Amino acid sequence: MEKTEMQKLLDGEWYRLTDPEIAGRKTSSATLCQDFNAIPENEPEKQTAKAREIFGSAGKNLTVHSRLTVDYGKNIHVGDNFLSNYNLTILDIAPVNMGNNVWIGPDTDIYTVNHPLTAKGRKQRLGIGKPVNIGNDVWIGGHCTICPGVTIGNGVVVAAGAVVTKNIPDNVLVGGVPAKVIKNIEQ
């Protein structure tokens, strides 16, 4: 029996971006994000309520500023005391799990989707999802990019402008393109 595109996605295999179920998820989440982004910044309670509707789960003390853009939303799970500054994009075709006390600076992107290196694969509109996991007590500076399949440990600081392409251990400052460990952080 042949797998559906959604089954392929869930099994970590290549799937078609044009699959109706996957495209439907994106359309639904785009509408929710438009609603969120229309809420004035001086109405944080309404922003929080809409963010909770978009995310799969969220702990206490949730703060999300606009603009928020997500692929699906329901694959995003954040712990207590989550703060995202302006212009957060999360392409969550696969799960994005964030622990407690995660702060995200402005203009940050978190991606779980990747595409083939070959032109042939891209012409076939293929994608593959790889989860992103972010530990507790993490501060991600502004203009950062977190790539598919990355795990960021606890107590990490990601310097502004970093592109995280590989797993990051606990209690370090990372920066650069691609991000590298700059120094250990004594907690």
Side-chain angles (χ1 to χ4, degrees):
M1 180 172 163
E2 188 170 321
K3 290 182 179 182
T4 67
E5 297 302 309
M6 189 57 64
Q7 287 170 319
K8 290 178 184 178
L9 168 66
L10 295 172
D11 290 341
E13 300 173 18
W14 292 104
Y15 65 92
R16 293 201 187 285
L17 302 171
T18 55
D19 176 72
E21 185 177 358
I22 293 167
R25 284 180 168 195
K26 289 182 75 119
T27 299
S28 176
S29 66
T31 301
L32 287 170
C33 286
Q34 286 171 345
D35 294 345
F36 174 88
N37 293 324
I39 299 169
E41 280 292 314
N42 64 355
E43 297 183 23
E45 299 85 13
K46 288 183 180 178
Q47 286 179 316
T48 298
K50 184 57 75 173
R52 287 186 185 283
E53 186 180 340
I54 294 168
F55 291 175
S57 64
K60 61 184 178 185
N61 301 323
L62 175 68
T63 303
V64 180
H65 293 283
S66 63
R67 293 202 48 91
L68 173 65
T69 306
V70 303
D71 245 358
Y72 178 46
K74 295 303 178 192
N75 281 334
I76 300 168
H77 305 279
V78 301
D80 295 340
N81 307 314
F82 178 82
L83 167 67
S84 77
N85 215 312
Y86 305 101
N87 303 319
L88 174 62
T89 297
I90 303 177
L91 302 185
D92 65 311
I93 197 75
V96 175
N97 300 300
M98 298 184 233
N100 297 324
N101 308 307
V102 173
W103 292 3
I104 300 178
D107 300 309
T108 289
D109 300 324
I110 300 172
Y111 305 136
T112 65
V113 66
N114 210 341
H115 304 288
L117 293 177
T118 66
K120 179 181 177 184
R122 291 190 304 277
K123 287 176 185 173
Q124 293 175 16
R125 310 287 289 170
L126 296 178
I128 192 166
K130 295 184 179 182
V132 169
N133 294 292
I134 299 171
N136 296 312
D137 305 306
V138 173
W139 174 23
I140 299 171
H143 292 276
C144 289
T145 301
I146 312 301
C147 292
V150 165
T151 295
I152 296 175
N154 298 313
V156 170
V157 175
V158 180
V163 177
V164 181
T165 61
K166 294 185 175 20
N167 292 346
I168 305 296
D170 293 347
N171 302 315
V172 295
L173 167 66
V174 299
V177 178
K180 294 182 178 9
V181 173
I182 296 171
K183 69 178 190 174
N184 291 324
I185 300 172
E186 296 296 324
Q187 296 295 341

